[in-house]
Amino acid sequence: MERQKVAQWGDKVTAQLAADLQREFPEMKGLSHRNIKYMKQFAATYPDFLIGQRPVAQLPWAHHVILLDKVNSSESRAFYTAKALENGWSRDVLSLQIKSGLHEPGLGRCNALRHAPTACWLSVPCGRFRRFC
């Protein structure tokens, strides 16, 4: 990231880094230009990242890509990280929870429950609610 700060516009630092890494480590996966950009964004988003000591370290990479793409605030990212770990969410479930606005006030299932007849909602053991009418 330091080199990119001093580079001129159009130097394509991340593209060159991706090409160099792919050439040097042809058997490794995940070294595409796109992933290098995500890695840079990840490093900027979590500057004090310590491996294995924070919940964010326990999520798979694809979950982080979803969080970086779809969640803007660090508070919301921390919320979704904790919930994904707590509930064992897959990438698809994480995306759906973000899309439903689970962490946003006035959105998500809590808002739906306030406006729906209680007879139409069934609480299941995992704490989620399912509509049955």
Side-chain angles (χ1 to χ4, degrees):
M1 287 188 353
E2 293 299 320
R3 183 173 174 198
Q4 198 167 29
K5 286 179 184 175
V6 297
Q8 299 294 319
W9 175 258
D11 281 351
K12 299 182 181 179
V13 174
T14 55
Q16 185 60 50
L17 177 60
D20 291 347
L21 288 171
Q22 288 170 354
R23 186 175 48 257
E24 194 67 32
F25 305 101
E27 70 286 348
M28 286 185 74
K29 302 288 183 204
L31 299 175
S32 67
H33 178 226
R34 182 178 180 182
N35 259 358
I36 297 294
K37 287 170 58 175
Y38 277 125
M39 290 175 202
K40 177 183 175 279
Q41 186 180 359
F42 183 89
T45 302
Y46 304 108
D48 299 322
F49 181 74
L50 299 172
I51 294 176
Q53 293 185 352
R54 291 178 55 188
V56 72
Q58 300 170 27
L59 282 181
W61 178 249
H63 285 61
H64 287 292
V65 170
I66 291 167
L67 289 168
L68 291 169
D69 276 346
K70 297 183 178 189
V71 181
N72 294 327
S73 84
S74 58
E75 179 186 326
S76 292
R77 271 193 302 277
F79 171 83
Y80 287 114
T81 296
K83 288 297 182 185
L85 291 171
E86 177 185 326
N87 298 304
W89 290 346
S90 67
R91 292 180 313 227
D92 290 338
V93 171
L94 175 61
S95 289
L96 287 172
Q97 296 292 6
I98 292 168
K99 186 176 180 180
S100 76
L102 180 64
H103 187 247
E104 304 303 319
L107 297 176
R109 71 169 182 246
C110 295
N111 191 45
L113 289 174
R114 279 193 288 272
H115 298 295
T118 52
C120 291
W121 293 91
L122 172 68
S123 177
V124 292
C126 67
R128 296 188 181 102
F129 295 89
R130 296 186 191 213
R131 191 176 182 125
F132 63 91
C133 63

